[in-house]
Amino acid sequence: AGFLTAADSVLQSIRGAVRDLLAPLGYSLLVTGHSLGASTACLVTRLLYAEMTSWSSQLSSIRCVAFAPCPCMDAVNAAGCAESLDPSTSLVLSFVCNDDAVPRISMQNLGRLS
């Protein structure tokens, strides 16, 4: 719920500018972040992508580049990140370094540690 609250807060701050200023001019939007910010960026991108379908004008593209994001979506939303306005790319591209534990944290994996 923390990531979603953060994403909603970001959306409230940027929604009007993106919808009313960037989309009508055909701009693209790249959202990025690292670790906790990457998780928030993934959710902002997913939510904005879903919301954009109801706008009178849409961005020419929207994409997220996430560096070491924490797990923040269920399987349905994660699969939705494979969608994109550009069929040759996915909505979210994430980078994880070798043995970084944060992107691999899950309740199941934490249970294996005990």
Side-chain angles (χ1 to χ4, degrees):
F3 293 125
L4 186 56
T5 301
D8 282 335
S9 176
V10 170
L11 279 175
Q12 285 179 357
S13 299
I14 67 166
R15 179 180 288 118
V18 172
R19 181 190 59 229
D20 301 334
L21 299 175
L22 300 181
L25 296 174
Y27 277 88
S28 297
L29 183 65
L30 176 65
V31 184
T32 189
H34 173 260
S35 194
L36 297 173
S39 299
T40 302
C42 290
L43 289 171
V44 164
T45 304
R46 179 74 173 119
L47 293 169
L48 201 54
Y49 180 78
E51 185 178 304
M52 230 176 32
T53 59
S54 67
W55 296 354
S56 58
S57 301
Q58 294 188 359
L59 296 165
S60 63
S61 71
I62 181 170
R63 190 160 190 211
C64 175
V65 178
F67 297 92
C70 307
C72 61
M73 293 187 200
D74 59 13
V76 172
N77 281 301
C81 287
E83 300 172 6
S84 179
L85 293 173
D86 177 357
S88 66
T89 63
S90 61
L91 190 60
V92 174
L93 175 64
S94 63
F95 293 91
V96 177
C97 291
N98 299 330
D99 298 326
D100 191 349
V102 172
R104 295 174 175 85
I105 292 173
S106 69
M107 294 306 291
Q108 186 177 10
N109 287 342
L110 288 175
R112 290 179 184 167
L113 292 175
S114 57

